[in-house]
Structures are given as C-alpha cells and as structure tokens.
Amino acid sequence: MIRTEQVIAEALKKVDSDKYLLSIMVSKRAEQLAGGAQPLVKASTDKEKFTDIALREIAEGKIILDSIIDLK
C-alpha cells in the first residue's frame, strides 16, 4: 500500500504545489463521492475515507480542476 505522504506529494505535483487548490479539489471530490459518485480508482467506499479516495484520484491524474468544479 502506498504511503499517504507519497500520494500527497504526487497530488501536489498535479496542482503546481498549490496546497489551497489541492484542499479545495479534495473537498469537492469527497463531497461528490459522499453523494454517490463512483470512485475513479479501485477503492472501497466502505473501508476508505472519501478524502483519501479523492486524493488518490487527483494524484493519479483522474481528476482535474475543470472536471470537479460546477460553474452553475
């Protein structure tokens, strides 16, 4: 299993080391997952926190800013 610190480091690379942006993206995606969205990575929503799943999705490049923010 990959360490949380490694996942965070990879996710930060995806957002140009912007911790604020990363926290917003994780929060929004975790909210979507809690609302019933399907994870884009292999994960068990019963065993893992939504924030951990969201962080892994961002680190793996499955989630980008444009796909997570609803501009309505």
Side-chain angles (χ1 to χ4, degrees):
M1 189 165 156
I2 193 163
R3 293 181 51 117
T4 303
E5 294 84 6
Q6 292 170 318
V7 175
I8 293 169
E10 284 301 313
L12 277 169
K13 288 179 188 176
K14 302 292 183 183
V15 295
D16 295 327
S17 298
D18 188 335
K19 294 177 186 178
Y20 178 72
L21 178 59
L22 179 60
S23 67
I24 290 172
M25 290 177 66
V26 169
S27 172
K28 288 287 188 185
R29 181 58 181 159
E31 189 176 290
Q32 291 174 352
L33 291 167
Q38 293 298 311
L40 301 176
V41 295
K42 188 175 179 178
S44 171
T45 55
D46 294 337
K47 297 179 182 178
E48 293 182 64
K49 295 177 185 175
F50 295 126
T51 52
D52 291 340
I53 296 169
L55 195 57
R56 283 188 23 230
E57 289 177 338
I58 295 166
E60 292 183 19
K62 307 275 183 180
I63 298 290
I64 58 171
L65 183 61
D66 291 342
S67 69
I68 202 161
I69 300 212
D70 186 9
L71 299 176
K72 291 181 184 177

Short mmCIF file of all heavy atoms in Angstrom, two decimals:
data_model
loop_
_atom_site.label_atom_id
_atom_site.label_comp_id
_atom_site.label_asym_id
_atom_site.label_seq_id
_atom_site.Cartn_x
_atom_site.Cartn_y
_atom_site.Cartn_z
N MET A 1 0.84 -1.18 0.00
CA MET A 1 0.00 0.00 0.00
C MET A 1 0.89 1.25 0.00
O MET A 1 1.89 1.33 0.70
CB MET A 1 -0.89 -0.01 1.24
CG MET A 1 -1.93 1.04 1.22
SD MET A 1 -3.14 0.64 2.48
CE MET A 1 -3.79 2.23 2.76
N ILE A 2 0.51 2.21 -0.80
CA ILE A 2 1.31 3.43 -0.93
C ILE A 2 1.07 4.34 0.28
O ILE A 2 -0.03 4.41 0.82
CB ILE A 2 0.97 4.15 -2.25
CG1 ILE A 2 1.98 5.21 -2.57
CG2 ILE A 2 -0.41 4.71 -2.22
CD1 ILE A 2 1.94 5.68 -3.99
N ARG A 3 2.11 5.00 0.70
CA ARG A 3 2.04 5.87 1.89
C ARG A 3 1.31 7.16 1.55
O ARG A 3 1.41 7.67 0.44
CB ARG A 3 3.43 6.18 2.38
CG ARG A 3 4.15 4.95 2.92
CD ARG A 3 5.51 5.33 3.42
NE ARG A 3 5.42 6.46 4.34
CZ ARG A 3 5.76 6.41 5.62
NH1 ARG A 3 6.24 5.29 6.12
NH2 ARG A 3 5.65 7.47 6.38
N THR A 4 0.60 7.69 2.53
CA THR A 4 -0.16 8.92 2.35
C THR A 4 0.73 10.07 1.91
O THR A 4 0.35 10.87 1.05
CB THR A 4 -0.90 9.28 3.65
OG1 THR A 4 -1.73 8.18 4.03
CG2 THR A 4 -1.75 10.52 3.48
N GLU A 5 1.93 10.15 2.48
CA GLU A 5 2.85 11.23 2.13
C GLU A 5 3.22 11.20 0.64
O GLU A 5 3.35 12.24 0.00
CB GLU A 5 4.14 11.16 2.96
CG GLU A 5 3.94 11.40 4.43
CD GLU A 5 3.52 10.14 5.20
OE1 GLU A 5 3.49 9.04 4.61
OE2 GLU A 5 3.20 10.28 6.39
N GLN A 6 3.35 10.00 0.09
CA GLN A 6 3.67 9.86 -1.32
C GLN A 6 2.50 10.30 -2.19
O GLN A 6 2.69 10.93 -3.23
CB GLN A 6 4.06 8.42 -1.64
CG GLN A 6 5.36 7.99 -1.01
CD GLN A 6 5.60 6.50 -1.13
OE1 GLN A 6 4.67 5.72 -0.94
NE2 GLN A 6 6.82 6.13 -1.46
N VAL A 7 1.29 9.93 -1.77
CA VAL A 7 0.09 10.32 -2.52
C VAL A 7 -0.04 11.84 -2.52
O VAL A 7 -0.32 12.45 -3.55
CB VAL A 7 -1.17 9.65 -1.93
CG1 VAL A 7 -2.42 10.15 -2.63
CG2 VAL A 7 -1.08 8.14 -2.02
N ILE A 8 0.16 12.46 -1.36
CA ILE A 8 0.06 13.91 -1.26
C ILE A 8 1.10 14.58 -2.15
O ILE A 8 0.80 15.56 -2.86
CB ILE A 8 0.21 14.37 0.20
CG1 ILE A 8 -0.99 13.90 1.02
CG2 ILE A 8 0.36 15.89 0.29
CD1 ILE A 8 -0.84 14.07 2.51
N ALA A 9 2.32 14.08 -2.14
CA ALA A 9 3.38 14.65 -2.98
C ALA A 9 3.01 14.57 -4.46
O ALA A 9 3.21 15.54 -5.21
CB ALA A 9 4.70 13.93 -2.72
N GLU A 10 2.47 13.45 -4.89
CA GLU A 10 2.06 13.29 -6.29
C GLU A 10 0.89 14.22 -6.62
O GLU A 10 0.86 14.84 -7.68
CB GLU A 10 1.67 11.84 -6.59
CG GLU A 10 2.84 10.92 -6.74
CD GLU A 10 3.78 11.33 -7.85
OE1 GLU A 10 3.34 11.66 -8.97
OE2 GLU A 10 5.01 11.35 -7.60
N ALA A 11 -0.06 14.33 -5.71
CA ALA A 11 -1.22 15.20 -5.94
C ALA A 11 -0.78 16.66 -6.02
O ALA A 11 -1.29 17.42 -6.84
CB ALA A 11 -2.25 15.00 -4.83
N LEU A 12 0.15 17.06 -5.17
CA LEU A 12 0.66 18.43 -5.21
C LEU A 12 1.34 18.74 -6.54
O LEU A 12 1.23 19.86 -7.05
CB LEU A 12 1.62 18.68 -4.05
CG LEU A 12 0.97 19.03 -2.72
CD1 LEU A 12 2.00 19.00 -1.59
CD2 LEU A 12 0.28 20.38 -2.78
N LYS A 13 2.01 17.77 -7.12
CA LYS A 13 2.63 17.97 -8.43
C LYS A 13 1.57 18.28 -9.49
O LYS A 13 1.81 19.07 -10.40
CB LYS A 13 3.41 16.72 -8.86
CG LYS A 13 4.68 16.50 -8.10
CD LYS A 13 5.36 15.23 -8.58
CE LYS A 13 6.56 14.86 -7.73
NZ LYS A 13 7.15 13.59 -8.15
N LYS A 14 0.41 17.68 -9.35
CA LYS A 14 -0.67 17.86 -10.33
C LYS A 14 -1.28 19.25 -10.26
O LYS A 14 -1.90 19.70 -11.22
CB LYS A 14 -1.78 16.82 -10.14
CG LYS A 14 -1.32 15.39 -10.24
CD LYS A 14 -0.90 15.03 -11.64
CE LYS A 14 -0.52 13.56 -11.68
NZ LYS A 14 -0.03 13.13 -12.95
N VAL A 15 -1.12 19.93 -9.12
CA VAL A 15 -1.71 21.27 -8.96
C VAL A 15 -0.62 22.33 -8.76
O VAL A 15 -0.85 23.37 -8.15
CB VAL A 15 -2.73 21.31 -7.79
CG1 VAL A 15 -3.93 20.46 -8.09
CG2 VAL A 15 -2.09 20.90 -6.48
N ASP A 16 0.56 22.08 -9.27
CA ASP A 16 1.68 23.02 -9.20
C ASP A 16 2.00 23.45 -7.77
O ASP A 16 2.21 24.64 -7.51
CB ASP A 16 1.42 24.24 -10.07
CG ASP A 16 1.34 23.89 -11.55
OD1 ASP A 16 2.06 22.96 -11.97
OD2 ASP A 16 0.56 24.52 -12.27
N SER A 17 1.95 22.51 -6.85
CA SER A 17 2.29 22.73 -5.44
C SER A 17 1.38 23.73 -4.72
O SER A 17 1.78 24.32 -3.72
CB SER A 17 3.75 23.15 -5.28
OG SER A 17 4.58 22.11 -5.75
N ASP A 18 0.18 23.92 -5.21
CA ASP A 18 -0.78 24.83 -4.59
C ASP A 18 -1.62 24.06 -3.57
O ASP A 18 -2.59 23.38 -3.92
CB ASP A 18 -1.67 25.45 -5.66
CG ASP A 18 -2.56 26.56 -5.13
OD1 ASP A 18 -2.87 26.56 -3.92
OD2 ASP A 18 -2.95 27.43 -5.94
N LYS A 19 -1.24 24.15 -2.31
CA LYS A 19 -1.92 23.40 -1.24
C LYS A 19 -3.37 23.83 -1.09
O LYS A 19 -4.23 23.00 -0.80
CB LYS A 19 -1.18 23.58 0.08
CG LYS A 19 0.19 22.96 0.10
CD LYS A 19 0.89 23.24 1.40
CE LYS A 19 2.32 22.74 1.36
NZ LYS A 19 3.04 23.03 2.60
N TYR A 20 -3.64 25.11 -1.27
CA TYR A 20 -5.01 25.62 -1.16
C TYR A 20 -5.89 25.00 -2.24
O TYR A 20 -6.98 24.51 -1.96
CB TYR A 20 -5.01 27.14 -1.26
CG TYR A 20 -6.38 27.75 -1.20
CD1 TYR A 20 -7.11 27.78 -0.01
CD2 TYR A 20 -6.97 28.30 -2.34
CE1 TYR A 20 -8.37 28.33 0.04
CE2 TYR A 20 -8.23 28.84 -2.29
CZ TYR A 20 -8.93 28.86 -1.10
OH TYR A 20 -10.18 29.40 -1.06
N LEU A 21 -5.41 25.01 -3.47
CA LEU A 21 -6.16 24.43 -4.57
C LEU A 21 -6.38 22.93 -4.35
O LEU A 21 -7.48 22.42 -4.57
CB LEU A 21 -5.43 24.67 -5.89
CG LEU A 21 -6.08 24.09 -7.14
CD1 LEU A 21 -7.48 24.63 -7.33
CD2 LEU A 21 -5.22 24.39 -8.35
N LEU A 22 -5.36 22.24 -3.89
CA LEU A 22 -5.48 20.81 -3.63
C LEU A 22 -6.54 20.54 -2.57
O LEU A 22 -7.37 19.65 -2.73
CB LEU A 22 -4.14 20.22 -3.21
CG LEU A 22 -4.15 18.72 -2.90
CD1 LEU A 22 -4.60 17.90 -4.12
CD2 LEU A 22 -2.79 18.27 -2.42
N SER A 23 -6.56 21.34 -1.52
CA SER A 23 -7.55 21.11 -0.46
C SER A 23 -8.96 21.35 -0.97
O SER A 23 -9.89 20.61 -0.60
CB SER A 23 -7.25 21.99 0.76
OG SER A 23 -7.44 23.35 0.47
N ILE A 24 -9.14 22.34 -1.82
CA ILE A 24 -10.47 22.60 -2.39
C ILE A 24 -10.89 21.44 -3.29
O ILE A 24 -12.03 20.97 -3.24
CB ILE A 24 -10.47 23.92 -3.18
CG1 ILE A 24 -10.35 25.09 -2.21
CG2 ILE A 24 -11.74 24.05 -4.02
CD1 ILE A 24 -10.17 26.42 -2.90
N MET A 25 -9.97 20.96 -4.11
CA MET A 25 -10.29 19.85 -5.01
C MET A 25 -10.63 18.59 -4.24
O MET A 25 -11.60 17.89 -4.58
CB MET A 25 -9.13 19.60 -5.97
CG MET A 25 -8.94 20.70 -7.00
SD MET A 25 -7.51 20.44 -8.07
CE MET A 25 -8.00 18.96 -8.97
N VAL A 26 -9.86 18.28 -3.22
CA VAL A 26 -10.14 17.10 -2.40
C VAL A 26 -11.50 17.23 -1.73
O VAL A 26 -12.31 16.30 -1.73
CB VAL A 26 -9.02 16.86 -1.35
CG1 VAL A 26 -9.45 15.81 -0.34
CG2 VAL A 26 -7.73 16.44 -2.03
N SER A 27 -11.78 18.40 -1.21
CA SER A 27 -13.06 18.64 -0.53
C SER A 27 -14.24 18.46 -1.48
O SER A 27 -15.22 17.77 -1.15
CB SER A 27 -13.07 20.05 0.06
OG SER A 27 -14.33 20.38 0.55
N LYS A 28 -14.16 19.08 -2.65
CA LYS A 28 -15.25 18.99 -3.63
C LYS A 28 -15.45 17.55 -4.10
O LYS A 28 -16.57 17.07 -4.21
CB LYS A 28 -14.97 19.89 -4.83
CG LYS A 28 -15.11 21.34 -4.56
CD LYS A 28 -16.56 21.70 -4.43
CE LYS A 28 -16.72 23.21 -4.35
NZ LYS A 28 -18.09 23.58 -4.10
N ARG A 29 -14.35 16.86 -4.39
CA ARG A 29 -14.46 15.49 -4.88
C ARG A 29 -14.98 14.55 -3.79
O ARG A 29 -15.80 13.67 -4.06
CB ARG A 29 -13.12 14.99 -5.43
CG ARG A 29 -13.18 13.59 -5.98
CD ARG A 29 -14.20 13.45 -7.10
NE ARG A 29 -14.22 12.07 -7.57
CZ ARG A 29 -15.22 11.52 -8.23
NH1 ARG A 29 -16.29 12.23 -8.54
NH2 ARG A 29 -15.16 10.27 -8.60
N ALA A 30 -14.53 14.75 -2.56
CA ALA A 30 -15.02 13.93 -1.45
C ALA A 30 -16.52 14.14 -1.26
O ALA A 30 -17.26 13.18 -0.99
CB ALA A 30 -14.27 14.27 -0.17
N GLU A 31 -16.97 15.36 -1.45
CA GLU A 31 -18.41 15.67 -1.36
C GLU A 31 -19.18 14.92 -2.45
O GLU A 31 -20.26 14.37 -2.20
CB GLU A 31 -18.58 17.18 -1.53
CG GLU A 31 -19.96 17.70 -1.26
CD GLU A 31 -19.99 19.21 -1.36
OE1 GLU A 31 -19.41 19.87 -0.49
OE2 GLU A 31 -20.60 19.72 -2.34
N GLN A 32 -18.61 14.88 -3.65
CA GLN A 32 -19.24 14.14 -4.74
C GLN A 32 -19.31 12.65 -4.43
O GLN A 32 -20.33 11.99 -4.67
CB GLN A 32 -18.49 14.37 -6.05
CG GLN A 32 -18.60 15.76 -6.59
CD GLN A 32 -17.71 15.99 -7.81
OE1 GLN A 32 -16.88 15.14 -8.17
NE2 GLN A 32 -17.87 17.14 -8.44
N LEU A 33 -18.22 12.10 -3.91
CA LEU A 33 -18.18 10.68 -3.56
C LEU A 33 -19.20 10.37 -2.46
O LEU A 33 -19.88 9.35 -2.53
CB LEU A 33 -16.77 10.28 -3.12
CG LEU A 33 -15.71 10.27 -4.21
CD1 LEU A 33 -14.31 10.18 -3.61
CD2 LEU A 33 -15.95 9.13 -5.19
N ALA A 34 -19.31 11.25 -1.48
CA ALA A 34 -20.27 11.05 -0.40
C ALA A 34 -21.71 11.11 -0.93
O ALA A 34 -22.60 10.47 -0.38
CB ALA A 34 -20.07 12.10 0.68
N GLY A 35 -21.89 11.85 -2.02
CA GLY A 35 -23.20 11.97 -2.63
C GLY A 35 -23.54 10.84 -3.59
O GLY A 35 -24.60 10.85 -4.20
N GLY A 36 -22.64 9.87 -3.73
CA GLY A 36 -22.93 8.71 -4.55
C GLY A 36 -22.11 8.55 -5.82
O GLY A 36 -22.30 7.59 -6.55
N ALA A 37 -21.22 9.48 -6.11
CA ALA A 37 -20.37 9.35 -7.30
C ALA A 37 -19.47 8.12 -7.16
O ALA A 37 -19.05 7.77 -6.06
CB ALA A 37 -19.51 10.60 -7.47
N GLN A 38 -19.20 7.49 -8.28
CA GLN A 38 -18.36 6.30 -8.29
C GLN A 38 -16.89 6.69 -8.29
O GLN A 38 -16.49 7.60 -9.03
CB GLN A 38 -18.65 5.45 -9.52
CG GLN A 38 -20.04 4.84 -9.52
CD GLN A 38 -20.24 3.90 -8.35
OE1 GLN A 38 -19.41 3.03 -8.09
NE2 GLN A 38 -21.33 4.08 -7.62
N PRO A 39 -16.07 6.03 -7.48
CA PRO A 39 -14.63 6.33 -7.48
C PRO A 39 -14.00 6.00 -8.84
O PRO A 39 -14.41 5.05 -9.51
CB PRO A 39 -14.07 5.39 -6.41
CG PRO A 39 -15.23 5.00 -5.58
CD PRO A 39 -16.43 5.04 -6.48
N LEU A 40 -13.03 6.79 -9.24
CA LEU A 40 -12.33 6.58 -10.50
C LEU A 40 -11.07 5.74 -10.32
O LEU A 40 -10.36 5.49 -11.28
CB LEU A 40 -11.98 7.93 -11.13
CG LEU A 40 -13.18 8.83 -11.42
CD1 LEU A 40 -12.70 10.18 -11.94
CD2 LEU A 40 -14.14 8.18 -12.39
N VAL A 41 -10.81 5.33 -9.10
CA VAL A 41 -9.70 4.43 -8.79
C VAL A 41 -10.29 3.24 -8.03
O VAL A 41 -11.39 3.32 -7.50
CB VAL A 41 -8.61 5.11 -7.92
CG1 VAL A 41 -7.93 6.23 -8.69
CG2 VAL A 41 -9.16 5.62 -6.62
N LYS A 42 -9.54 2.16 -8.02
CA LYS A 42 -10.01 0.99 -7.29
C LYS A 42 -10.01 1.32 -5.79
O LYS A 42 -8.96 1.56 -5.20
CB LYS A 42 -9.10 -0.20 -7.57
CG LYS A 42 -9.62 -1.49 -7.00
CD LYS A 42 -8.77 -2.66 -7.41
CE LYS A 42 -9.34 -3.92 -6.78
NZ LYS A 42 -8.57 -5.09 -7.18
N ALA A 43 -11.21 1.36 -5.22
CA ALA A 43 -11.35 1.74 -3.81
C ALA A 43 -12.65 1.20 -3.25
O ALA A 43 -13.60 0.98 -3.99
CB ALA A 43 -11.31 3.26 -3.68
N SER A 44 -12.67 1.02 -1.97
CA SER A 44 -13.87 0.60 -1.28
C SER A 44 -14.36 1.76 -0.42
O SER A 44 -13.69 2.15 0.54
CB SER A 44 -13.58 -0.61 -0.39
OG SER A 44 -14.69 -0.89 0.42
N THR A 45 -15.53 2.29 -0.77
CA THR A 45 -16.05 3.43 -0.01
C THR A 45 -16.50 3.01 1.39
O THR A 45 -16.71 3.87 2.24
CB THR A 45 -17.22 4.09 -0.75
OG1 THR A 45 -18.23 3.12 -1.04
CG2 THR A 45 -16.75 4.75 -2.04
N ASP A 46 -16.60 1.72 1.63
CA ASP A 46 -16.94 1.24 2.97
C ASP A 46 -15.72 1.24 3.89
O ASP A 46 -15.86 1.37 5.09
CB ASP A 46 -17.49 -0.19 2.91
CG ASP A 46 -18.82 -0.27 2.18
OD1 ASP A 46 -19.51 0.77 2.11
OD2 ASP A 46 -19.16 -1.35 1.68
N LYS A 47 -14.54 1.08 3.31
CA LYS A 47 -13.33 0.92 4.11
C LYS A 47 -12.41 2.13 4.08
O LYS A 47 -11.57 2.29 4.95
CB LYS A 47 -12.54 -0.30 3.64
CG LYS A 47 -13.29 -1.59 3.83
CD LYS A 47 -12.49 -2.76 3.32
CE LYS A 47 -13.28 -4.05 3.46
NZ LYS A 47 -12.55 -5.20 2.94
N GLU A 48 -12.54 2.98 3.05
CA GLU A 48 -11.64 4.13 2.91
C GLU A 48 -12.43 5.43 3.05
O GLU A 48 -13.59 5.50 2.70
CB GLU A 48 -10.98 4.12 1.53
CG GLU A 48 -10.02 2.97 1.33
CD GLU A 48 -9.35 3.04 -0.02
OE1 GLU A 48 -8.61 4.01 -0.26
OE2 GLU A 48 -9.58 2.13 -0.83
N LYS A 49 -11.75 6.44 3.54
CA LYS A 49 -12.37 7.76 3.66
C LYS A 49 -12.50 8.36 2.27
O LYS A 49 -11.66 8.16 1.40
CB LYS A 49 -11.52 8.67 4.53
CG LYS A 49 -11.42 8.21 5.96
CD LYS A 49 -10.50 9.13 6.73
CE LYS A 49 -10.30 8.62 8.14
NZ LYS A 49 -9.33 9.44 8.88
N PHE A 50 -13.56 9.14 2.07
CA PHE A 50 -13.77 9.79 0.78
C PHE A 50 -12.62 10.73 0.44
O PHE A 50 -12.24 10.85 -0.71
CB PHE A 50 -15.10 10.56 0.78
CG PHE A 50 -16.31 9.67 0.89
CD1 PHE A 50 -17.24 9.89 1.88
CD2 PHE A 50 -16.51 8.61 0.03
CE1 PHE A 50 -18.36 9.08 2.00
CE2 PHE A 50 -17.63 7.80 0.13
CZ PHE A 50 -18.55 8.03 1.12
N THR A 51 -12.05 11.38 1.45
CA THR A 51 -10.93 12.29 1.19
C THR A 51 -9.70 11.54 0.70
O THR A 51 -8.99 12.03 -0.18
CB THR A 51 -10.58 13.10 2.45
OG1 THR A 51 -10.39 12.22 3.54
CG2 THR A 51 -11.67 14.11 2.78
N ASP A 52 -9.47 10.35 1.23
CA ASP A 52 -8.33 9.54 0.78
C ASP A 52 -8.52 9.09 -0.67
O ASP A 52 -7.58 9.09 -1.46
CB ASP A 52 -8.12 8.33 1.68
CG ASP A 52 -7.65 8.70 3.07
OD1 ASP A 52 -7.11 9.83 3.23
OD2 ASP A 52 -7.81 7.89 3.99
N ILE A 53 -9.73 8.71 -1.00
CA ILE A 53 -10.04 8.30 -2.37
C ILE A 53 -9.85 9.48 -3.32
O ILE A 53 -9.23 9.36 -4.38
CB ILE A 53 -11.46 7.73 -2.47
CG1 ILE A 53 -11.59 6.45 -1.63
CG2 ILE A 53 -11.83 7.46 -3.93
CD1 ILE A 53 -13.02 5.96 -1.46
N ALA A 54 -10.38 10.64 -2.94
CA ALA A 54 -10.26 11.84 -3.76
C ALA A 54 -8.80 12.21 -3.98
O ALA A 54 -8.39 12.55 -5.10
CB ALA A 54 -11.01 12.99 -3.11
N LEU A 55 -8.02 12.12 -2.94
CA LEU A 55 -6.59 12.44 -3.03
C LEU A 55 -5.88 11.50 -4.00
O LEU A 55 -5.08 11.93 -4.84
CB LEU A 55 -5.96 12.36 -1.65
CG LEU A 55 -4.59 12.98 -1.46
CD1 LEU A 55 -4.60 14.45 -1.84
CD2 LEU A 55 -4.14 12.81 -0.03
N ARG A 56 -6.21 10.22 -3.94
CA ARG A 56 -5.61 9.25 -4.87
C ARG A 56 -6.03 9.53 -6.31
O ARG A 56 -5.23 9.42 -7.24
CB ARG A 56 -5.99 7.82 -4.47
CG ARG A 56 -5.20 7.34 -3.29
CD ARG A 56 -5.37 5.88 -2.93
NE ARG A 56 -5.82 5.02 -3.99
CZ ARG A 56 -6.85 4.16 -3.87
NH1 ARG A 56 -7.52 4.06 -2.75
NH2 ARG A 56 -7.19 3.39 -4.88
N GLU A 57 -7.30 9.90 -6.51
CA GLU A 57 -7.78 10.21 -7.85
C GLU A 57 -7.01 11.39 -8.45
O GLU A 57 -6.61 11.36 -9.61
CB GLU A 57 -9.28 10.54 -7.82
CG GLU A 57 -10.15 9.35 -7.56
CD GLU A 57 -11.62 9.69 -7.47
OE1 GLU A 57 -11.96 10.87 -7.19
OE2 GLU A 57 -12.44 8.79 -7.66
N ILE A 58 -6.78 12.40 -7.64
CA ILE A 58 -6.04 13.57 -8.10
C ILE A 58 -4.58 13.20 -8.38
O ILE A 58 -4.02 13.57 -9.41
CB ILE A 58 -6.13 14.72 -7.08
CG1 ILE A 58 -7.59 15.19 -6.98
CG2 ILE A 58 -5.20 15.86 -7.45
CD1 ILE A 58 -7.88 16.07 -5.78
N ALA A 59 -3.97 12.45 -7.49
CA ALA A 59 -2.57 12.04 -7.66
C ALA A 59 -2.38 11.21 -8.92
O ALA A 59 -1.34 11.31 -9.58
CB ALA A 59 -2.11 11.25 -6.43
N GLU A 60 -3.37 10.42 -9.29
CA GLU A 60 -3.27 9.57 -10.47
C GLU A 60 -3.71 10.30 -11.74
O GLU A 60 -3.74 9.71 -12.82
CB GLU A 60 -4.08 8.30 -10.27
CG GLU A 60 -3.49 7.39 -9.21
CD GLU A 60 -4.25 6.09 -9.04
OE1 GLU A 60 -5.01 5.70 -9.96
OE2 GLU A 60 -4.09 5.46 -7.98
N GLY A 61 -4.10 11.57 -11.62
CA GLY A 61 -4.49 12.35 -12.79
C GLY A 61 -5.88 12.06 -13.30
O GLY A 61 -6.22 12.44 -14.42
N LYS A 62 -6.70 11.40 -12.51
CA LYS A 62 -8.07 11.07 -12.92
C LYS A 62 -9.01 12.25 -12.74
O LYS A 62 -10.07 12.30 -13.37
CB LYS A 62 -8.61 9.89 -12.11
CG LYS A 62 -7.73 8.68 -12.09
CD LYS A 62 -7.97 7.81 -13.25
CE LYS A 62 -7.09 6.56 -13.11
NZ LYS A 62 -7.25 5.67 -14.20
N ILE A 63 -8.64 13.18 -11.88
CA ILE A 63 -9.47 14.36 -11.59
C ILE A 63 -8.64 15.61 -11.88
O ILE A 63 -7.51 15.73 -11.42
CB ILE A 63 -9.89 14.38 -10.09
CG1 ILE A 63 -10.74 13.17 -9.76
CG2 ILE A 63 -10.61 15.67 -9.75
CD1 ILE A 63 -12.12 13.15 -10.37
N ILE A 64 -9.25 16.53 -12.62
CA ILE A 64 -8.61 17.83 -12.84
C ILE A 64 -9.59 18.91 -12.38
O ILE A 64 -10.77 18.65 -12.17
CB ILE A 64 -8.22 18.05 -14.33
CG1 ILE A 64 -9.45 17.92 -15.22
CG2 ILE A 64 -7.14 17.07 -14.74
CD1 ILE A 64 -9.21 18.32 -16.65
N LEU A 65 -9.11 20.11 -12.21
CA LEU A 65 -9.92 21.19 -11.66
C LEU A 65 -11.19 21.42 -12.45
O LEU A 65 -12.27 21.54 -11.88
CB LEU A 65 -9.10 22.48 -11.60
CG LEU A 65 -9.79 23.68 -10.99
CD1 LEU A 65 -10.16 23.39 -9.54
CD2 LEU A 65 -8.91 24.90 -11.08
N ASP A 66 -11.12 21.45 -13.76
CA ASP A 66 -12.30 21.72 -14.58
C ASP A 66 -13.39 20.67 -14.42
O ASP A 66 -14.56 20.97 -14.56
CB ASP A 66 -11.91 21.81 -16.06
CG ASP A 66 -11.08 23.04 -16.36
OD1 ASP A 66 -11.09 23.98 -15.54
OD2 ASP A 66 -10.40 23.06 -17.40
N SER A 67 -13.00 19.44 -14.14
CA SER A 67 -14.00 18.38 -14.03
C SER A 67 -14.65 18.31 -12.66
O SER A 67 -15.64 17.60 -12.48
CB SER A 67 -13.35 17.02 -14.35
OG SER A 67 -12.45 16.65 -13.32
N ILE A 68 -14.14 19.05 -11.70
CA ILE A 68 -14.64 18.93 -10.34
C ILE A 68 -15.47 20.13 -9.88
O ILE A 68 -16.29 20.01 -9.00
CB ILE A 68 -13.47 18.68 -9.36
CG1 ILE A 68 -13.99 18.04 -8.11
CG2 ILE A 68 -12.74 19.93 -9.02
CD1 ILE A 68 -12.95 17.36 -7.32
N ILE A 69 -15.29 21.27 -10.51
CA ILE A 69 -15.99 22.47 -10.08
C ILE A 69 -17.18 22.72 -10.99
O ILE A 69 -17.05 22.83 -12.20
CB ILE A 69 -15.03 23.68 -10.08
CG1 ILE A 69 -13.92 23.37 -9.14
CG2 ILE A 69 -15.77 24.97 -9.78
CD1 ILE A 69 -13.30 24.46 -8.40
N ASP A 70 -18.34 22.79 -10.39
CA ASP A 70 -19.57 23.05 -11.11
C ASP A 70 -19.75 24.57 -11.16
O ASP A 70 -19.90 25.23 -10.14
CB ASP A 70 -20.75 22.40 -10.37
CG ASP A 70 -22.04 22.51 -11.14
OD1 ASP A 70 -22.01 22.94 -12.31
OD2 ASP A 70 -23.08 22.18 -10.57
N LEU A 71 -19.76 25.11 -12.37
CA LEU A 71 -19.80 26.56 -12.52
C LEU A 71 -21.22 27.10 -12.69
O LEU A 71 -21.40 28.21 -13.17
CB LEU A 71 -18.94 26.97 -13.74
CG LEU A 71 -17.47 26.61 -13.63
CD1 LEU A 71 -16.75 26.97 -14.92
CD2 LEU A 71 -16.82 27.32 -12.46
N LYS A 72 -22.22 26.37 -12.27
CA LYS A 72 -23.62 26.84 -12.40
C LYS A 72 -23.91 27.97 -11.47
O LYS A 72 -23.44 28.13 -10.42
CB LYS A 72 -24.57 25.70 -12.11
CG LYS A 72 -24.53 24.65 -13.18
CD LYS A 72 -25.52 23.56 -12.85
CE LYS A 72 -25.42 22.44 -13.86
NZ LYS A 72 -26.29 21.33 -13.54
#
